[in-house]
Amino acid sequence: VFPFQSSCDKDVILNILSVLTDLLSLGTGRRIHYVVSKGGSEALLQALATAARTEPLDHGVLLPLLRLLARVGQRDRKFGLKVQKAEATDIILSLTRRDLGHPLHLTHCLWVLRVCASNVTTGTMLGINGAMELLFKVITPYSKRHVRTVRAAIGALAALLKSKSNSRRAVNRGYLGELLRLYQDWHRNDVSNNYIYIRRGLLLCLKYITNIQLGRETFFGSRGMEILFTSVQDCLSCKNLDPIITTATHILRKCYPKEHLPVVTVRSSYSFPLPGNANAEPPCEGSEGKWLNGDSESEGEEEAEKDWDNEDVESKEEDCDLETDVNKLRSRPALDRPEQDLKKYEALCAELSQNFQELEFEPEEKKSLEDRTENLPSAASHFIPSGTSVKHPNCRWRNQSVTEMGPDPGEQDFKAPLKSWRKKEECIWDKNDEKRDIAEDAQDKDFCEEEDPARSHVFALCPLLKDAAWYQKLFYPHCEGNPSPEGRLESSDIVTNLLEKHQGDIQFHSPHLYAARARCVKSIPGYRELAFPDFWGHQPPPYSKPVLERKHGVQRDKVLDDVRRLIQPGDVIGRTVFDLDDPSLSSPAAPGCLTFFSKFESGNLRKVIQVREFEYDLMVNADVNSNQHHQWFYFEVRDMKSAVPYRFNIINCEKFNSQFNYGMQLVMYSVREALQGRPRWIRAGQEICYYKNHIKCHCSDFKKIPDFNSQSSFIDHELLYKPASLLFFQSHLDILEQNRNPKKVYWRQQTLCQTLGGNPCPLLTITAMPESKNRDDLEQFCSRPYVFLTARVHPGESNSSWVMKGTLEFLVSSDPIAELLRKCFIFKIVPMLNPDGVIHGNLRCSLSGDDLNRQWLTPSSQLHPTIYHTKGLLYYLSSIGRAPLVFCDYHGHSQKKNVFLYGCSIKETLWQAGCMVDTAVVTEDVGYRTLPKILDKVAPAFVMNSCSFLVEKSRASTARVVVWREMGVLRSYTMESTYCSCSHGLYRVSKSFQ
C-alpha cells in the first residue's frame, strides 16, 4: 500500500506487483492463504482505490493489480465482505463502465467483478447498482472476436445470478429469454465445438435463474424445455460435450412441471384400527383403504439430503447428536414395568429347568410339527402362552369364493403330519392365470449355459409345451376350446401331479407345509393368493454374477426420456392397468398390456400406469397407517412378449441414493424356469438407475420429505420381484426342527407373543443337548451363557432374514464349529420382530405405523407387543443374572457395501464429541471391540473400518442402545448387511456376486 500512498516511482510499484504475481503463481494455494491471513486482500483493495483515483488511469499499474485481486479473491472466502467494507463495489463498476470499449482492460475488471459477486450480499448490491445491465452489453451473439471478454462476462453474470433477488430482477427484465436466445445462437453456430465453455456458461446462468419458482415458470413459458431438449439431442453423439449435456439435463429435470403422485389420497391403501383408537386414523370404507403417500418440497431450492434408512445407516451425523451426558451414558434406568411381571417369562426359558427329562423329546414320541402349534395371546396380554392347538382361518386361491371352499377349515385342528400333505384341498385357478405367456428363454441365458451340472438340483418334471398357450395347457388341459364360464377347474390333476413330483429337491422347503401354514396368516386385505416363488421354493444360482457395469450417462438418458414424454406426447398412452384402490383394475388388463398383481404376502404394488407400449410407471404402497416409507417392492407381472425389453419406472422411491446406482440389479423369479427344474431368483435388468423425478410429495401432517425418486430398469422376461416372507420362514423353521439331529441339537420353538395383527412371533432356543442326564452335565447345560439374536424389525430389509436363515441352518448343522458353539452357548433367537410389516409389504413400520426400532425405550404392550415382550424376556434374563453375553440385531443397508457392526462405547462417544475424558472416573471394558475384530479376521465380507461405536441421541430408543444401557450388555450390536456386494475381501466388487 505504501508506494501508492506515497506516490513512489512507477517502476517501484510495478516491481512490487511483479514479485507478488510471481510468488503467487509459482506456489500452491498455501501462499495465497498466507497472503490473505496477513491482510493481503485489504491491502490490494486499498491500492485499487488509490490507483482508481489517479487521473488519467494508469492501466499499466491497474491491470496487474486487478489480476492479483482476482487471484487472491478466489481463495479468500470473505473477499466479498471485504469489498463492501472498503467501499470498492462502486469503484469496480466504475472501472468496468469506463473500459467497455477496451476488451483487454474490461476482461480484467470482469474477473474481479466475478470474484466480488461470489458473496451473495455483495452480488445483490452489485445487481442493484446495474451490474447485470452492464454485463448484457458485453455478452454478444456468436462471434469469434473478443471471446475471452465474453467468457469473463458470462462468468460474472452466473455469479450474480446465484443471488435470488438478482434472479428475480433478471426474470422481470426479460433477461431469461435473452439468455435462451444467446444460447441458441452460440449452439447453432459453434459447429466445431470450439466454445464449449461459453455455451456451458450460458447454461449455468439459466441453471441459477431457474432456482426460483418464477424463473422455472418463465423458462417453461419461453419454450425453454423444447430448446434445451433439442440442443441436447444434437450433443449426445460427442462425449466432449458432456459438461453441456449434464448441465442442460439438470435444468430440464428441475423445470419439469411438478405433479402429485397419481393416487387418490396421501396414505397407504391399507389402514388398521388401533387398540383404543390411539393415534388411529379413521378406517377406510371397505376392506381396502383409499390413501396415498406424499409430501411437498419448497420448490426450487435443493434441500439437504437426509437418509431415511434405519439404524442401518451411517449417516453423517453432526457431533451435536452425540450423547455427551456421562450420567445418561452410564446410568441404568428403572424397569419400564412392574418387577413381578417378569416372572411370566420363565416359561420361555424352560432350558434352565433342572429336570431335563421334561424337556426331552424322543423321536418316536415327538409330535408332528402341526400338532405343536401354540395358542397365541392377544397383543395386549401380559401372559406368555403354553401350548395348545389353534384354529385356522380361510385361505383360498385367488378369486375363489367362500362357498367353493366348503366347510371352514378352522372347524378342525391342524394336526395332519407333514408327509400327508399331498394337496388334499382343491386347488382352484381362475382365468387370469391362463393369460401367462412367459418368455421361453431363461433370463441371462449365457449364465444358464455355464451352470455346473454337479451343483444344480434339477426337478424331474415333464418338459413344458413350446407354444404361447403352454401355461393354459399345463394347468387347464380340459379347458381347451370349451372353458367353463368362470374359467376355473374344480380340480387340477396337473397341479396335483406337479406337487407330487416335488420330492424335496430344495433343501429346507416344502410347498405342502407352506400351503398349510398359509391358512394361519392374518392380513388386512385377507390374502388368498400364494406367491408362487415362496410356495414352490427356490435354490441359489450355481454361479456367481458380477455387479452390473454402469452405463455412461444412464441417469441422464432416463431424464431425457421423461422430458420427451412431456414435449412429444404423441406415443404416450397414460392408461391405468392396475390399481389397488380400484378393484376393477386389479383384474387382467386390456389386450396389449402387461398383467400386474401383488395381493399376496409381502406384495406392495399400489398402481401401474402404461406410459407407452413397453413402458410402465409403477407406484409402491406406503406402510400401513402411514403416508411414507416407499422403497421395497414385490409384485408379479406376466404376459410379456419374448425378446422385447420393457421399461419399469418405480416413481415414488423415497431414499436419496441406492445401490441401484452402483451395480445392483433387482431379482427375478420365472415361473416357467421353475417348472422346468430351475427355481431360482436371479439378478435381472439393464440400464438400472436411481434419480430424482418430477413427482411432488405433499403432506401437511407429517414431516417434510423431498420430491420422489425414480428407479428405472429394462426387463425382458416375466418376473416376480426376492422376498423373505413370514410364511416362507415359518415353514423353514418347521423343516429345520424336523430335520435336526434331536440327540445333538436342542431346539425349542415357542411363540413369544401375538402381534398387533394377530400373527405369531416365533421364539427359538438352540443349544447342544447335554452329554448325559447326570448332574454335572445338566448343570453345564443350564449354565451356558446366552447369545440373543433378533432380525427383521424393518420389513423392507429382507436381506437380514436371509442372514438369519443362514445363521439358523448353520447352528443346527453338523459342522464342528456349530457343534462347539452349541456346547458353549444357548442361543435365544427372535427371527422376525415385525411379522405384520412383512406380511403387508411394509418398508419400515408395523401396523401401528411406528418404526419398531424406535420404540425400545417405552414399548407399548398393545401397539408394540413384539418389542415389549422381547424386552421383557431380556429383562427377565438380566434379573436372574443371565444377561446375554452378546445381543445382535440383524439389519440390512441399502446404500453401503460390506457387513459391519454398530456398538456402544462411552469413551469413543465422548472423544468423538471433543469432550475431555477423565480415565480415572470413566472406566470402560473394551471387550465390545472383541467380536468385531474377530469377524474382521475370519469373515471375508466384514469390514472393521465401517464399524462405529458411538451413542447418538437420535438412536437412544434403538435396540442396541437400550439393551446396552438398561440390561448392561457390553456387546450389544446392530449388524448391517449390504444389499449388494462388497468392496473388501474375497467378495469385493470386482469379483462379487450380488
Side-chain angles (χ1 to χ4, degrees):
V1 180
F2 175 77
F4 287 91
Q5 294 176 341
S6 57
S7 302
C8 285
D9 184 76
K10 178 180 177 181
D11 291 338
V12 175
I13 296 174
L14 289 176
N15 285 335
I16 293 174
L17 293 174
S18 177
V19 169
L20 274 173
T21 302
D22 291 342
L23 285 173
L24 297 182
S25 61
L26 291 174
T28 61
R30 286 188 296 178
R31 290 191 178 183
I32 298 179
H33 286 306
Y34 180 79
V35 169
V36 171
S37 68
K38 296 301 181 182
S41 299
E42 293 88 338
L44 291 171
L45 287 170
Q46 291 179 35
L48 177 66
T50 303
R53 288 193 295 267
T54 304
E55 291 292 345
L57 291 176
D58 188 346
H59 285 93
V61 173
L62 272 175
L63 294 186
L65 184 59
L66 290 170
R67 279 198 298 271
L68 274 175
L69 271 170
R71 188 171 182 83
V72 171
Q74 285 181 331
R75 298 277 184 167
D76 188 350
R77 294 182 179 180
K78 298 182 179 180
F79 186 76
L81 296 176
K82 293 174 181 178
V83 169
Q84 292 182 58
K85 188 175 181 180
E87 299 180 350
T89 53
D90 290 338
I91 295 173
I92 296 169
L93 281 176
S94 175
L95 290 174
T96 304
R97 288 191 180 94
R98 293 177 63 173
D99 289 331
L100 282 176
H102 302 84
L104 179 61
H105 302 166
L106 179 60
T107 302
H108 286 70
C109 293
L110 293 173
W111 288 341
V112 177
L113 186 65
R114 176 181 179 178
V115 175
C116 294
S118 60
N119 177 272
V120 174
T121 306
T122 308
T124 301
M125 186 180 298
L126 289 168
I128 294 172
N129 292 333
M132 287 191 295
E133 292 81 354
L134 187 62
L135 293 174
F136 272 100
K137 294 179 181 179
V138 181
I139 303 173
T140 63
Y142 176 80
S143 172
K144 294 183 179 180
R145 298 183 61 209
H146 311 311
V147 173
R148 193 182 184 193
T149 304
V150 172
R151 181 182 180 183
I154 292 173
L157 179 61
L160 286 170
L161 290 173
K162 290 181 181 179
S163 162
K164 293 179 184 177
S165 60
N166 284 341
S167 293
R168 293 189 191 94
R169 187 175 295 106
V171 173
N172 291 332
R173 297 187 181 182
Y175 292 153
L176 192 151
E178 180 63 21
L179 285 171
L180 281 172
R181 287 188 289 273
L182 287 168
Y183 174 75
Q184 276 185 294
D185 185 69
W186 281 89
H187 172 76
R188 182 170 53 249
N189 291 288
D190 185 23
V191 291
S192 300
N193 297 325
N194 293 325
Y195 305 114
I196 296 175
Y197 44 83
I198 289 182
R199 292 156 61 183
R200 185 172 182 271
L202 291 169
L203 287 174
L204 286 174
C205 293
L206 290 170
K207 175 183 174 181
Y208 297 136
I209 208 172
T210 53
N211 277 340
I212 61 172
Q213 184 171 350
L214 178 62
R216 291 193 298 277
E217 292 173 353
T218 306
F219 177 85
F220 189 82
S222 303
R223 298 183 66 252
M225 298 289 286
E226 292 87 342
I227 292 171
L228 260 62
F229 179 80
T230 303
S231 68
V232 168
Q233 301 305 308
D234 298 336
C235 300
L236 290 175
S237 59
C238 182
K239 193 170 182 178
N240 292 336
L241 298 179
D242 271 359
I244 291 177
I245 299 171
T246 301
T247 307
T249 304
H250 179 86
I251 297 170
L252 290 170
R253 182 197 59 75
K254 183 169 55 176
C255 295
Y256 197 115
K258 297 293 183 182
E259 300 175 4
H260 288 289
L261 200 65
V263 288
V264 291
T265 60
V266 128
R267 295 178 67 87
S268 168
S269 291
Y270 299 138
S271 66
F272 186 81
L274 302 181
N277 293 323
N279 299 321
E281 292 290 336
C284 328
E285 297 181 3
S287 61
E288 296 178 6
K290 299 281 187 182
W291 309 26
L292 146 81
N293 184 343
D295 198 302
S296 67
E297 178 188 66
S298 171
E299 301 228 6
E301 278 76 40
E302 300 289 339
E303 294 192 353
E305 295 187 352
K306 296 181 181 178
D307 195 317
W308 291 80
D309 220 334
N310 46 324
E311 159 111 29
D312 67 6
V313 109
E314 188 185 37
S315 56
K316 296 182 179 178
E317 306 251 4
E318 296 184 2
D319 288 346
C320 62
D321 187 40
L322 296 176
E323 181 58 76
T324 56
D325 188 332
V326 178
N327 292 326
K328 289 184 178 180
L329 289 170
R330 299 177 66 180
S331 65
R332 294 184 63 174
L335 290 176
D336 63 0
R337 66 199 76 194
E339 188 173 356
Q340 58 268 25
D341 285 355
L342 300 181
K343 182 66 176 176
K344 64 191 174 195
Y345 296 101
E346 183 179 0
L348 297 178
C349 299
E351 66 277 359
L352 298 180
S353 170
Q354 291 295 323
N355 188 0
F356 191 77
Q357 184 67 32
E358 296 178 1
L359 304 178
E360 188 172 24
F361 295 93
E362 297 296 338
E364 61 271 15
E365 297 174 352
K366 185 181 176 184
K367 296 180 181 181
S368 65
L369 301 178
E370 295 83 359
D371 195 27
R372 300 178 61 228
T373 306
E374 297 184 356
N375 190 27
L376 310 179
S378 65
S381 174
H382 291 279
F383 115 119
I384 303 299
S386 58
T388 56
S389 61
V390 67
K391 305 289 185 180
H392 306 285
N394 284 0
C395 181
R396 22 186 190 96
W397 296 93
R398 189 195 310 175
N399 293 340
Q400 185 177 354
S401 66
V402 175
T403 56
E404 289 171 334
M405 284 297 299
D408 184 354
E411 294 178 1
Q412 54 184 347
D413 287 341
F414 180 26
K415 294 184 178 181
L418 176 64
K419 293 184 179 179
S420 70
W421 287 100
R422 288 300 180 188
K423 200 59 183 176
K424 293 182 180 179
E425 312 85 40
E426 291 181 352
C427 183
I428 307 301
W429 299 76
D430 68 12
K431 60 184 179 182
N432 299 352
D433 295 319
E434 300 178 32
K435 296 192 173 183
R436 294 187 186 230
D437 182 14
I438 306 175
E440 294 184 4
D441 297 328
Q443 172 73 12
D444 296 326
K445 183 175 180 181
D446 293 340
F447 286 103
C448 294
E449 291 175 352
E450 295 172 3
E451 293 180 12
D452 181 357
R455 297 176 61 188
S456 178
H457 300 280
V458 180
F459 293 129
L461 299 181
C462 54
L464 297 178
L465 302 171
K466 298 300 183 183
D467 56 65
W470 72 270
Y471 195 91
Q472 176 181 350
K473 293 180 181 180
L474 180 62
F475 291 102
Y476 304 90
H478 307 295
C479 294
E480 295 181 32
N482 187 23
S484 62
E486 295 297 324
R488 307 178 187 137
L489 294 175
E490 291 301 314
S491 65
S492 173
D493 294 337
I494 298 295
V495 172
T496 302
N497 290 337
L498 285 173
L499 288 172
E500 289 178 351
K501 288 178 179 293
H502 195 296
Q503 298 294 336
D505 302 81
I506 299 178
Q507 191 178 22
F508 303 125
H509 182 72
S510 166
H512 316 288
L513 184 56
Y514 179 89
R517 273 285 188 178
R519 294 175 174 273
C520 306
V521 172
K522 297 178 182 179
S523 62
I524 296 172
Y527 293 136
R528 296 295 182 263
E529 171 82 357
L530 299 182
F532 188 88
D534 285 346
F535 165 70
W536 192 255
H538 41 86
Q539 303 164 334
Y543 48 81
S544 62
K545 185 174 181 180
V547 294
L548 184 68
E549 184 176 350
R550 184 176 177 85
K551 177 185 175 183
H552 175 72
V554 62
Q555 287 178 314
R556 176 190 69 198
D557 294 343
K558 302 298 182 186
V559 172
L560 293 176
D561 281 344
D562 290 346
V563 174
R564 182 181 291 107
R565 185 193 305 186
L566 174 70
I567 64 178
Q568 298 175 0
D571 60 344
V572 174
I573 299 172
R575 173 171 53 189
T576 301
V577 297
F578 175 84
D579 192 344
L580 204 59
D581 300 316
D582 185 354
S584 65
L585 290 172
S586 298
S587 56
C593 295
L594 299 180
T595 301
F596 293 84
F597 190 74
S598 70
K599 290 186 68 174
F600 45 74
E601 186 192 346
S602 295
N604 73 335
L605 188 63
R606 178 169 187 170
K607 188 172 183 177
V608 180
I609 298 175
Q610 185 180 21
V611 179
R612 300 184 180 95
E613 184 178 4
F614 302 116
E615 181 180 356
Y616 294 82
D617 282 351
L618 283 64
M619 285 145 273
V620 295
N621 199 15
D623 285 4
V624 175
N625 279 357
S626 170
N627 71 340
Q628 57 186 22
H629 307 304
H630 309 79
Q631 201 75 24
W632 158 264
F633 57 92
Y634 180 32
F635 58 89
E636 173 193 20
V637 57
R638 61 178 184 265
D639 298 333
M640 284 183 164
K641 296 181 180 179
S642 178
V644 174
Y646 290 83
R647 177 179 170 182
F648 291 165
N649 310 306
I650 301 178
I651 63 173
N652 62 334
C653 300
E654 279 183 12
K655 294 183 184 295
F656 290 90
N657 204 352
S658 167
Q659 283 292 323
F660 283 117
N661 275 336
Y662 306 101
M664 184 168 77
Q665 295 172 279
L666 47 82
V667 287
M668 181 198 80
Y669 186 102
S670 168
V671 175
R672 169 185 283 275
E673 288 293 301
L675 295 176
Q676 287 181 328
R678 293 179 292 274
R680 297 170 186 143
W681 287 99
I682 61 174
R683 293 287 177 175
Q686 300 295 324
E687 297 185 21
I688 299 175
C689 69
Y690 193 88
Y691 63 96
K692 193 170 183 179
N693 61 27
H694 62 282
I695 304 298
K696 178 181 180 181
C697 311
H698 180 72
C699 173
S700 59
D701 57 343
F702 276 71
K703 65 180 73 173
K704 290 182 67 177
I705 55 177
D707 288 354
F708 283 127
N709 297 276
S710 285
Q711 181 224 316
S712 179
S713 60
F714 280 105
I715 301 294
D716 59 359
H717 286 277
E718 168 162 348
L719 64 162
L720 282 140
Y721 290 83
K722 187 173 182 179
S725 67
L726 173 66
L727 275 176
F728 178 81
F729 280 97
Q730 281 181 330
S731 58
H732 176 254
L733 295 180
D734 292 340
I735 295 173
L736 280 180
E737 179 175 2
Q738 186 190 49
N739 287 277
R740 82 189 196 284
N741 183 343
K743 295 182 179 181
K744 291 187 175 183
V745 181
Y746 175 92
W747 169 291
R748 186 177 180 88
Q749 182 175 343
Q750 299 169 276
T751 298
L752 174 68
C753 65
Q754 191 180 31
T755 67
L756 188 60
N759 293 291
C761 179
L763 171 69
L764 306 177
T765 305
I766 301 175
T767 187
M769 296 291 282
E771 295 291 337
S772 68
K773 297 179 183 178
N774 65 52
R775 182 172 180 176
D776 290 342
D777 288 337
L778 291 179
E779 286 183 356
Q780 190 278 335
F781 174 88
C782 295
S783 62
R784 295 169 186 167
Y786 278 94
V787 173
F788 207 108
L789 307 177
T790 62
R792 203 70 181 281
V793 69
H794 294 144
E797 297 165 15
S798 58
N799 53 342
S800 68
S801 280
W802 292 108
V803 176
M804 178 59 74
K805 179 177 183 287
T807 300
L808 295 174
E809 291 175 2
F810 177 76
L811 284 178
V812 301
S813 71
S814 59
D815 187 284
I817 297 177
E819 292 181 351
L820 181 61
L821 287 171
R822 291 196 301 267
K823 290 178 180 178
C824 293
F825 304 103
I826 299 174
F827 291 88
K828 281 287 185 186
I829 302 173
V830 184
M832 190 172 286
L833 278 169
N834 193 350
D836 289 341
V838 172
I839 290 169
H840 294 90
N842 286 4
L843 171 71
R844 192 171 178 84
C845 299
S846 66
L847 292 187
S848 66
D850 295 323
D851 180 348
L852 292 184
N853 202 35
R854 295 297 184 273
Q855 309 303 322
W856 280 78
L857 272 179
T858 55
S860 164
S861 60
Q862 290 187 325
L863 299 179
H864 323 118
T866 61
I867 304 301
Y868 182 86
H869 289 297
T870 302
K871 186 178 181 182
L873 178 56
L874 286 161
Y875 266 145
Y876 172 74
L877 291 173
S878 181
S879 69
I880 63 173
R882 301 299 300 275
L885 178 68
V886 174
F887 172 86
C888 190
D889 188 21
Y890 290 13
H891 284 254
H893 205 296
S894 66
Q895 299 185 23
K896 294 187 67 175
K897 296 188 181 296
N898 310 307
V899 180
F900 50 95
L901 291 176
Y902 291 123
C904 301
S905 166
I906 297 176
K907 287 187 176 180
E908 292 195 33
T909 302
L910 296 175
W911 286 333
Q912 181 66 29
C915 299
M916 297 296 293
V917 180
D918 186 348
T919 56
V921 177
V922 181
T923 59
E924 185 174 50
D925 185 347
V926 295
Y928 63 88
R929 280 185 166 267
T930 304
L931 182 59
K933 286 182 177 180
I934 293 173
L935 290 173
D936 193 46
K937 298 294 184 183
V938 302
F942 192 88
V943 177
M944 183 68 182
N945 289 340
S946 296
C947 296
S948 173
F949 304 95
L950 305 180
V951 181
E952 303 97 336
K953 297 174 185 176
S954 59
R955 301 290 191 263
S957 57
T958 60
R960 69 167 169 105
V961 176
V962 170
V963 173
W964 169 73
R965 180 179 289 166
E966 297 189 20
M967 287 78 177
V969 178
L970 176 67
R971 300 169 183 84
S972 180
Y973 304 108
T974 294
M975 184 171 73
E976 302 285 359
S977 302
T978 180
Y979 277 31
C980 174
S981 75
C982 303
S983 58
H984 293 76
L986 295 176
Y987 305 134
R988 61 185 180 273
V989 172
S990 59
K991 297 181 180 179
S992 71
F993 57 87
Q994 302 181 55

